[in-house]
């Protein structure tokens, strides 16, 4: 399936985020993350992280704000791990 190029729409910062969440708050955290305007997709996972999410933002500064202010304030979120995209092939 075709996926639009985020850069053509003014979004230059993308990241894959692994998120650890308190077990009793995984569903609520996943729902809150999925409702955020910058979230592309969210998946519950097994392993070291409970949730993986892909986000697309206008700038790396906005990514930093999202991680600190938005993701960091979701009830139950304990830790996150981020892989930032530098360039598409």
């Amino acid at each position: 399936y075709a996926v639009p190029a985020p850069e053509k729409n003014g979004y230059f910062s993308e990241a894959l985020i692994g998120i650890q969440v308190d077990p009793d708050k995984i569903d609520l955290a996943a729902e809150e993350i999925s409702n955020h305007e910058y979230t592309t997709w969210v998946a519950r996972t097994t392993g070291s992280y409970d949730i993986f999410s892909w986000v697309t933002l206008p700038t790396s500064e906005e990514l930093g704000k999202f991680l600190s202010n938005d993701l960091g304030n979701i009830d139950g979120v304990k830790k996150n791990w981020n892989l930032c995209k530098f360039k598409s092939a």
Side-chain angles (χ1 to χ4, degrees):
Y1 63 92
V3 177
E7 296 88 3
K8 290 183 180 179
N9 294 308
Y11 292 85
F12 299 95
S13 184
E14 295 182 276
L16 175 65
I17 307 170
I19 307 158
Q20 288 182 346
V21 183
D22 292 328
D24 61 329
K25 299 196 169 122
I26 294 172
D27 288 334
L28 292 174
E31 184 175 339
E32 191 166 341
I33 294 164
S34 71
N35 288 329
H36 195 281
E37 66 178 306
Y38 295 137
T39 301
T40 304
W41 59 260
V42 175
R44 285 194 57 180
T45 59
T46 61
S48 298
Y49 294 91
D50 305 299
I51 299 169
F52 270 93
S53 179
W54 186 266
V55 295
T56 306
L57 303 97
T59 65
S60 58
E61 290 81 12
E62 287 294 318
L63 174 59
K65 289 177 187 176
F66 172 79
L67 294 171
S68 297
N69 300 333
D70 297 311
L71 188 62
N73 285 319
I74 293 175
D75 190 31
V77 170
K78 300 188 293 187
K79 179 180 176 181
N80 67 72
W81 167 81
N82 314 292
L83 289 172
C84 299
K85 182 194 94 169
F86 291 120
K87 183 178 176 182
S88 294

